[in-house]
Amino acid sequence: MDAIEALRNRRSIRVYETGKTIPRDVIETIIDCGRLAATARNIQPWEFVVITEPDLLKRIANITEHGKHIAQAAACIAVFCLEGKYYIEDGSAATQNIMLAAHALGIGACWVAGDKKAYADTLRDLLGAPNSMKLVSLIPLGYPAQTPSPKKRTVEDVLHWERFG
Ligand SMILES: Cc1cc2nc3c(=O)[nH]c(=O)nc-3n(C[C@H](O)[C@H](O)[C@H](O)COP(=O)(O)O)c2cc1C
């Protein structure tokens, strides 16, 4: 799959094939793409925790507000960043890289909010991350069992040449 196709076709996947695990080397490839994201001043403030234990996935799902589908995922990546000026931007770039890499490898993913959520510190403690880290996102992964097509704004609607308007 080329990059443009991956960017155009990626959608948030919240329903996964049950009982199908993701090989460890595939998850490592996905994390490798995450750690290569753009990062302000090349600080690379990220750490990635991969959760595959079903009981822990369920506990995480229950703590989130709109992440109940994490319970059915084959794995979930928690993206943490060391707190600093650009940690949200850096963690978001890594999150998008991870979702696109997963999609290119035939794996569904969905960004579940971490930063700004009341549960962020609870999840940080549950996963044993130090207090200096901020939870930016959770990314459940699994083989897709749905093909959503949410309404998208058109390029004509969002593109402005030279001036807004
Ligand atoms: C910052 C951010 C937080 C999000 N949080 C959630 C979430 O908590 N639960 C969820 O199911 N989807 C979440 N999403 C996914 C969006 O709902 C999804 O990207 C949007 O509906 C567009 O659909 P698409 O990703 O299929 O293009 C989040 C996306 C972003 C960028």
Side-chain angles (χ1 to χ4, degrees):
M1 187 184 302
D2 76 18
I4 300 296
E5 188 187 350
L7 285 157
R8 284 200 169 124
N9 297 339
R10 180 214 59 82
R11 297 279 74 83
S12 292
I13 302 299
R14 300 179 177 87
V15 186
Y16 314 103
E17 283 186 30
T18 48
K20 207 168 163 190
T21 56
I22 303 170
R24 212 177 169 89
D25 64 308
V26 172
I27 293 181
E28 282 172 3
T29 299
I30 291 169
I31 298 295
D32 193 40
C33 292
R35 61 113 191 162
L36 291 169
T39 160
R41 300 181 192 134
N42 199 25
I43 286 178
Q44 306 173 55
W46 37 60
E47 306 286 341
F48 307 98
V49 180
V50 179
I51 303 106
T52 60
E53 290 172 14
D55 285 348
L56 192 50
L57 289 168
K58 286 192 189 82
R59 283 177 72 185
I60 293 168
N62 284 334
I63 290 169
T64 65
E65 200 178 348
H66 300 291
K68 304 305 174 203
H69 50 290
I70 292 171
Q72 274 77 50
C76 180
I77 300 169
V79 178
F80 288 97
C81 280
L82 192 63
E83 193 163 8
K85 190 171 179 184
Y86 294 109
Y87 82 88
I88 295 177
E89 290 87 340
D90 289 354
S92 296
T95 299
Q96 187 72 7
N97 268 22
I98 285 169
M99 292 197 304
L100 287 165
H103 174 57
L105 293 165
I107 293 163
C110 175
W111 186 324
V112 172
D115 192 72
K116 303 187 188 71
K117 288 293 189 183
Y119 55 72
D121 289 353
T122 305
L123 286 175
R124 180 185 63 200
D125 294 346
L126 176 67
L127 297 174
N131 288 352
S132 53
M133 306 298 294
K134 302 285 281 183
L135 176 70
V136 175
S137 64
L138 297 161
I139 314 167
L141 302 173
Y143 291 93
Q146 64 170 174
T147 49
S149 54
K151 204 165 163 39
K152 293 286 178 184
R153 293 173 65 193
T154 63
V155 70
E156 293 77 16
D157 190 31
V158 300
L159 171 61
H160 311 270
W161 290 105
E162 319 306 347
R163 298 280 190 284
F164 198 101

